[in-house]
Amino acid sequence: VLEGRQEIKFCLKTVKTLCELSKTALADETVKETNNGFLRIVKEPVGVVLMISPWNFPYSTPTNTLVTALLAGNAFLIKPSPFSALTTHHFELSLIHISEPTRLLSISYAVFCLKKK
C-alpha cells in the first residue's frame, strides 16, 4: 500500500511538471526571419499514441505517456498487462471522473484463456 501511495504522489508531480514544460516545449518556434518571410516550426498532433503497459509501475508508466500525448493533442490507446488490468481500469475511472468522457482515451483489455491439461 505504501509503494502504491508513493507511486501516485510521483505521478502527480510528473503531471504538474509535464504541464509546466509543455507551455514552452509545444510552443511554435520562429527559427529564421528574413525580408521575404520567416521560417517557423509548428508543432501539431500526429494521431494516436499506443502504449503497451507493463505490469510494474502500473500508474506512473501510463501517466508519462498519456499526459504527453494528450498535451500534444493526440489520442491515446493503452493495452495494459493482464497482470495489471484492474489497476488500469481504476486509472480509466479516475480519468472519467475528472473530465467528461471523450474519444481521446481508449483502453483495450486482452482476454487470455488458460487451457487445462
Side-chain angles (χ1 to χ4, degrees), residues 74-90:
N74 296 298
F76 185 77
L77 173 64
I78 181 171
K79 191 283 180 195
S81 163
F83 301 110
S84 64
L86 187 58
T87 304
T88 306
H89 176 69
H90 287 286

Side-chain angles (χ1 to χ4, degrees), residues 36-56:
N36 298 332
F38 57 90
L39 179 63
R40 177 176 280 178
I41 298 173
V42 178
K43 298 170 185 167
E44 297 180 348
V46 294
V48 178
V49 174
L50 167 66
M51 179 187 188
I52 300 174
S53 180
W55 64 270
N56 57 341

